[in-house]
Amino acid sequence: MSEQVNRPAAPYIGSEATIGPYLGHTRVAYFSMEIALRAEIHTYSGGLGVLAGDTARAAADLSLPMVFVTLVSRQGYLQQAIDEDGRQVDRADPWKPADYATPLRAKVAVIIGGREVWIRPWLYPLGSAIGRTVPVLLLDTALPENHADDQTITDTLYGGDMTYRFKQEVVLGIGGLRLLQALGFHIDRYHMNEGHAALLALDLLRRYPRPLDQVAPGELKLDVAEVRQACVFTTHTPIEAGHDTFSYELVGHLLQGYIELDQVRQLAGSDQLNMTRLALNLSGYINGVAVRHAEVTTRMFPGYDIRAITNGVHAPQWAHPAFAEVFNRHSLKWGYSPEVMQRFDQLPDDLVWQAHQQAKGHLLELVQRVSRQKLALDVPILGFARRFTAYKRPELIFSDLARLQAIHARYPFQLVLAGKAHPNDQPAKELIHSIHSMIRALAPEIRMAFLPNYDLSIARTVIAGADVWVNTPEPPMEASGTSGMKAGLNGVLNLSVLDGWWIEAHIEGVTGWSIGNHAGASADALYDKLERAVLPMYYQDRPRWIWMMKQAISKIGSTFNAHRMMRRYAAEAYIARRPSWEVSTHAPPPF
Ligand SMILES: *Cc1c(COP(=O)(O)O)cnc(C)c1O
């Protein structure tokens, strides 16, 4: 294997880009509202999309027989600017599909609100240096034959109102399913990454009527078992608002005559069409994205057998090039077989520290370039970058400015933040504004920078370049979290509330540190840990710090890895398809 193996693969765009080469062997279709393919392709908003992108990269490395389906999102999600006053300014974030993808000739129609809406896919072949290219289909309704209103359905990720969202989900689920068939795919498993694509299961269901003489009044007229055999569902959030619900009035209006609504009510909830419930009822394999999250989801939706496949990140995508080089000296196989990273606790201290300082240097350059701030290489950087939303509590570290100043006086530190607030999330926008005020209040003593427009590219630099990766969600809201995994494999130490994936990875003083306990964490708990454990070790016990970096690289890098995750999906969800309820001690799904 060449050194290239462990670098992010260059996207392969062949001039002969057609779907033909993939048809014969593809068996699994993965549907996601967002997929982060590369920074220039604005088809993602945050963790869900980045996970889907790492899923596709790992699938390509492992040559899994998969096709990926998402929306083209021509106007992107959100380009974030920050104004003079420290407020988020929302801008469209357009990209040109023709610059990166190839339009296919196939076209299918769905009927939405009584009108035909035509859908054409773009093909983005996602290459791997060590495996097989997997096709990604980006669904597009911007076609001249469509009504002007319908041409914009695939424009803005998570934009518009509930009507717009439902139209997008019809295009993704029903349109995507029909397109795969029109293209000639023979799919055995449909993997719904979050509930947005659950209408695909409904469209499958319409094809399996039960013999009417076997249907008692009030029973389902369709054969759910057939559909469950084919469907896999991964749920991603315990947040109520994260589960799309639509009024049956809206559904009836947009899908008139498509399916009897009393049948849908039995599967998706009697008052509202709940996409999560629909997916739960129509899937034979259901999982959460961390052990804790599966438990929490089981309590939210009793009666379903919800397994856990803990998320992972694509190591070659997230390892800083300086670390990739150090890793390569030890083993060239880490990009393909993350197990070899277990032994990376044996890496030489000086090489690990040098690689880290190099990654940190890149972050200093980025901060200097975008926020004209000069950070210091020998002062620890606390990093906090994530989607801005109330439950992630980005303001927690600013709870007591006097305490923060006192800690800084004893043990200087720097802080780098980044993250977008959804355009409609007013409280999160307020957080961005108030955090900017506090950054100003603490300057110039405490050096802090907020980097606008958090995306794949900024994430790579910020996460690998920090010394400590801070995470302060309100448990149990963080289903998994993945940025801490990216940090760990770069020897960046996690300081995190015990929630999501961190419950599985945390060993106190070894892989990182906890804040508070399983029930929750206060600002005081964060300050105490910073002042008594984290910062003193950075300044007074560098050998122990580097030892911890190596523990994090080996334990987190080898396990919280997208290859491990995809091997589990392949073995447990795609191949071993004994329906969950047959092997479960739980009651069968409740209908
Ligand atoms: C990894 C990543 C996320 C998800 O991070 P969390 O820890 O789950 O909050 C979001 N956005 C970008 C750009 C990322 O790279």
Side-chain angles (χ1 to χ4, degrees), residues 62-74:
L62 297 169
S63 300
L64 296 180
M66 293 179 74
V67 56
F68 292 78
V69 182
T70 190
L71 302 183
V72 74
S73 299
R74 284 168 174 270

Side-chain angles (χ1 to χ4, degrees), residues 44 46-47 50 318 386 392 454-456 459 478 481-484 486:
Y44 67 97
V50 176
W318 293 103
R386 43 200 81 244
K392 297 223 184 202
Y454 186 46
D455 69 355
L456 272 186
E478 181 101 306
T482 51
S483 58
K486 305 165 192 168

Side-chain angles (χ1 to χ4, degrees), residues 343-358:
R343 294 178 59 80
F344 286 2
D345 56 358
Q346 303 299 311
L347 295 172
D349 285 7
D350 55 340
L351 291 188
V352 167
W353 187 251
Q354 281 161 22
H356 172 66
Q357 293 297 85
Q358 220 174 311

Side-chain angles (χ1 to χ4, degrees), residues 341-381:
M341 295 183 83
Q342 267 170 15
R343 294 178 59 80
F344 286 2
D345 56 358
Q346 303 299 311
L347 295 172
D349 285 7
D350 55 340
L351 291 188
V352 167
W353 187 251
Q354 281 161 22
H356 172 66
Q357 293 297 85
Q358 220 174 311
K360 189 170 175 180
H362 280 153
L363 174 56
L364 298 195
E365 283 166 29
L366 176 70
V367 169
Q368 170 97 52
R369 196 166 69 241
V370 305
S371 75
R372 299 210 173 68
Q373 281 234 56
K374 217 172 154 55
L375 300 188
L377 189 61
D378 56 355
V379 175
I381 293 179

Side-chain angles (χ1 to χ4, degrees), residues 186-449:
H186 295 284
I187 300 298
D188 299 326
R189 303 286 177 255
Y190 296 91
H191 188 164
M192 296 174 271
N193 187 44
E194 198 45 290
H196 306 122
L199 294 174
L200 84 81
L202 207 56
D203 208 53
L204 280 178
L205 186 64
R206 285 170 82 231
R207 301 162 197 201
Y208 296 108
R210 292 170 60 196
L212 277 180
D213 56 353
Q214 290 173 19
V215 180
E219 269 187 3
L220 272 180
K221 297 177 193 161
L222 300 159
D223 191 353
V224 181
E226 292 284 346
V227 177
R228 284 181 176 164
Q229 195 56 36
C231 290
V232 173
F233 173 47
T234 303
T235 175
H236 285 266
T237 179
I239 309 277
E240 206 54 59
H243 300 270
D244 279 349
T245 55
F246 300 100
S247 78
Y248 281 110
E249 196 191 339
L250 174 69
V251 174
H253 172 66
L254 293 179
L255 286 185
Q256 47 194 270
Y258 169 77
I259 192 164
E260 289 174 39
L261 286 186
D262 70 303
Q263 298 281 295
V264 183
R265 281 193 165 90
Q266 293 190 44
L267 296 163
S270 49
D271 306 332
Q272 298 248 309
L273 191 162
N274 181 315
M275 296 295 276
T276 301
R277 216 165 256 294
L278 184 62
L280 288 170
N281 278 326
L282 291 178
S283 297
Y285 183 95
I286 304 161
N287 74 290
V289 289
V291 173
R292 177 77 180 279
H293 175 233
E295 291 162 8
V296 171
T297 308
T298 303
R299 281 201 291 279
M300 282 178 79
F301 298 99
Y304 298 92
D305 179 17
I306 296 167
R307 316 284 180 85
I309 295 182
T310 301
N311 282 342
V313 298
H314 187 253
Q317 166 79 14
W318 293 103
H320 187 276
F323 271 106
E325 217 172 292
V326 176
F327 296 167
N328 283 341
R329 288 199 197 186
H330 204 79
S331 164
L332 284 173
K333 293 199 166 70
W334 62 275
Y336 186 76
S337 306
E339 298 83 355
V340 305
M341 295 183 83
Q342 267 170 15
R343 294 178 59 80
F344 286 2
D345 56 358
Q346 303 299 311
L347 295 172
D349 285 7
D350 55 340
L351 291 188
V352 167
W353 187 251
Q354 281 161 22
H356 172 66
Q357 293 297 85
Q358 220 174 311
K360 189 170 175 180
H362 280 153
L363 174 56
L364 298 195
E365 283 166 29
L366 176 70
V367 169
Q368 170 97 52
R369 196 166 69 241
V370 305
S371 75
R372 299 210 173 68
Q373 281 234 56
K374 217 172 154 55
L375 300 188
L377 189 61
D378 56 355
V379 175
I381 293 179
L382 312 182
F384 182 101
R386 43 200 81 244
R387 199 160 52 83
F388 265 59
T389 183
Y391 84 83
K392 297 223 184 202
R393 299 193 296 178
E395 78 291 2
L396 193 77
I397 195 168
F398 296 98
S399 303
D400 182 345
L401 299 192
R403 176 99 197 257
L404 212 48
Q405 283 164 320
I407 296 171
H408 182 269
R410 288 183 69 190
Y411 302 110
F413 61 85
Q414 314 171 94
L415 181 63
V416 176
L417 300 123
K420 297 174 180 175
H422 185 279
N424 296 338
D425 190 345
Q426 211 48 50
K429 286 181 157 178
E430 284 308 317
L431 286 177
I432 289 179
H433 180 230
S434 66
I435 283 174
H436 275 87
S437 314
M438 291 185 279
I439 291 175
R440 273 198 295 267
L442 293 166
E445 281 74 32
I446 310 188
R447 281 178 273 191
M448 297 187 175

